[in-house]
Amino acid sequence: MNTHHHIASPNMINSFIGAVFGAFSVLTATVNLSSDALLAMGVLRLLLGTILFLGALINIFKGIPSGNLNLISAVCFGLFAGVHITISTLGFHGVSWQPLIYCIVQLFGGIYILLILPALLDTSLSAWGCQMAGALGLISQAIFGMTSLVFFHYVSGIWFLLYAVLNTYAGLAAVIPEMPQGPDARDVISYLYKAKKSNE
């Protein structure tokens, strides 16, 4: 019997957790949840964030480029978001929780993902678009928290919905190799750029 002496990539479970985080964020942006539901969401974000954190470390040790992005997602969508929601819901006596700090972490997390995306153009368009949707969702959510402009609240919900859908597809593709991932993001962007130049 053949045995494998290496750790398999956790991409499927990472994508599953990303899809759940996206769905949670859509709920937050579209539904007025009760305090009990928010508390449950906060605890689940902490638990899933911890699992995603471990999955990100495995990808980093294996040299997979998405490992660093998984780590940012674990912090922004899971660990820090879980702490923020849990403390805000429980309302500990004598503890003044400042939402602005949470927004700053989300804002810089989204900006950092956007800045690192050019280095990941060799990945499939669906995976690249998934990371971009998550980043824009984080930025929109942070702007809403800082400005209270409802427009950005709904915009973040749209981006997070796309993030959840693409993560679900990526998770399925991780176990079903026959599922098409689409062309590399670099090829699509180069094609669009050349098409634009030819029309000028």
Side-chain angles (χ1 to χ4, degrees):
M1 181 176 65
N2 293 328
T3 57
H4 298 281
H5 300 284
H6 64 274
I7 301 175
S9 173
N11 285 338
M12 185 187 71
I13 188 64
N14 288 352
S15 297
F16 163 74
I17 294 174
V20 173
F21 284 157
F24 281 167
S25 299
V26 171
L27 279 177
T28 304
T30 57
V31 179
N32 187 18
L33 298 173
S34 65
S35 58
D36 290 341
L38 287 173
L39 179 59
M41 182 184 295
V43 173
L44 283 173
R45 279 184 181 270
L46 284 171
L47 294 175
L48 293 175
T50 301
I51 297 172
L52 182 57
F53 186 86
L54 296 175
L57 291 180
I58 292 174
N59 275 343
I60 290 173
F61 292 148
K62 291 172 69 68
I64 298 175
S66 61
N68 290 311
L69 294 180
N70 295 150
L71 202 57
I72 296 173
S73 298
V75 172
C76 292
F77 286 104
L79 302 176
F80 199 76
V83 170
H84 169 72
I85 294 172
T86 302
I87 292 180
S88 300
T89 304
L90 292 177
F92 293 114
H93 296 292
V95 176
S96 180
W97 184 251
Q98 177 51 262
L100 178 62
I101 305 301
Y102 169 71
C103 294
I104 290 175
V105 173
Q106 302 296 84
L107 178 64
F108 278 92
I111 291 174
Y112 185 84
I113 293 174
L114 285 182
L115 290 176
I116 204 174
L117 281 179
L120 300 175
L121 287 173
D122 291 328
T123 59
S124 67
L125 182 63
S126 60
W128 195 83
C130 178
Q131 297 295 341
M132 185 183 70
L136 293 175
L138 289 174
I139 292 172
S140 301
Q141 188 179 63
I143 294 175
F144 166 70
M146 293 175 176
T147 64
S148 297
L149 295 175
V150 180
F151 170 77
F152 287 101
H153 191 45
Y154 294 118
V155 168
S156 69
I158 294 172
W159 286 118
F160 286 136
L161 177 61
L162 182 60
Y163 181 72
V165 171
L166 290 176
N167 263 305
T168 301
Y169 186 86
L172 292 174
V175 293
I176 306 175
E178 293 78 13
M179 291 185 65
Q181 289 288 307
D184 287 350
R186 186 187 304 277
D187 296 336
V188 175
I189 293 174
S190 297
Y191 174 80
L192 293 176
Y193 178 76
K194 291 177 181 177
K196 179 182 178 182
K197 292 293 288 185
S198 63
N199 291 331
E200 292 179 352

